[in-house]
């Protein structure tokens, strides 16, 4: 497989306590002949997440890299804290 | 952010040419008080992928790790080769 690994943030110091969700996708192809599904998956996965939690548009940071053999998509989402500001409640 | 990184496989030697899709999710919480959304997202993301491509149940390998501050979900999918065996065609 690809061999991804997570490295958690360092312990919070004085920064605002926030929740984050990070999604990484890698599509590995043997050649460049097959369609790149990552743009479609990006849309669907964001929709799936929004079913479960409210996220603002400016809370989402997306980076995509496309290559012949490996395309990758990174989605970082700052989640509203479930306590405190009240924006995180599911309607 | 978390600082994930992709490392592509080494070049194919004699192994069967296959396509792979890998999805990594990390949910970082400031404490253990908020619900873990990863199991729900796992189901929804797999459904989203299946909208775009046919995947067999035994082609999916899922690993989840749950902790107070960081839960992670790793989904590895062997995709049917779009050429050759004909199983990859979308109906």
């Amino acid at each position: 497989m690809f061999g991804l690994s997570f490295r958690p943030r360092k312990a919070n110091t004085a920064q605002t306590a926030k929740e984050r969700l990070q999604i990484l996708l890698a599509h590995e192809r043997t050649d460049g002949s097959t369609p790149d599904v990552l743009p479609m998956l990006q849309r669907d996965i964001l929709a799936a997440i929004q079913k479960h939690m409210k996220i603002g548009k400016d809370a989402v940071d997306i980076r995509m890299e496309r290559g012949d053999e490996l395309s990758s998509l990174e989605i970082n989402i700052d989640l509203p804290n479930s306590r405190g500001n009240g924006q995180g409640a599911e309607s």
Side-chain angles (χ1 to χ4, degrees), chain A residues 29-45:
Chain A
R29 291 166 291 180
T30 48
D31 58 45
S33 66
T34 43
D36 186 354
V37 294
L38 294 186
M40 298 179 291
L41 290 179
Q42 172 189 322
R43 193 189 51 212
D44 290 347
I45 287 174

Side-chain angles (χ1 to χ4, degrees), chain A residues 51-63:
Chain A
K51 271 172 51 183
H52 299 291
M53 52 191 90
K54 198 165 192 166
I55 50 174
K57 279 211 168 179
D58 56 350
V60 181
D61 174 56
I62 296 173
R63 271 167 255 193

